[in-house]
Amino acid sequence: MHVWVDREGCISCGQCEETCPQVFAIMEDGLADVKQQPDEDLEDLAQAAADGCPVAVIHTNA
């Protein structure tokens, strides 16, 4: 799985970081980004973060 964040649309709610802090972080500029790609053990949590993003700016592909 590969994940990425469309940072221009991020509203800095922190939901992704709360759901999967191993993969997502709120960066110094206040916007979310991927800090590391998920390994197999984190794919479900990373997908949950993407699914739960209120502005749908987290994207995944297998």
Side-chain angles (χ1 to χ4, degrees):
M1 167 186 277
H2 181 78
V3 299
W4 68 99
V5 177
D6 177 7
R7 298 183 84 234
E8 290 182 18
C10 178
I11 61 170
S12 304
C13 72
Q15 180 275 335
C16 58
E17 184 178 48
E18 186 176 315
T19 302
C20 190
Q22 303 91 330
V23 173
F24 301 100
I26 301 298
M27 308 307 278
E28 288 183 18
D29 63 1
L31 301 176
D33 208 350
V34 176
K35 63 181 186 182
Q36 76 173 27
Q37 292 296 319
D39 58 24
E40 286 184 29
D41 293 340
L42 295 173
E43 286 182 357
D44 288 342
L45 282 176
Q47 186 64 56
D51 293 343
C53 178
V55 289
V57 297
I58 301 173
H59 306 282
T60 64
N61 68 2

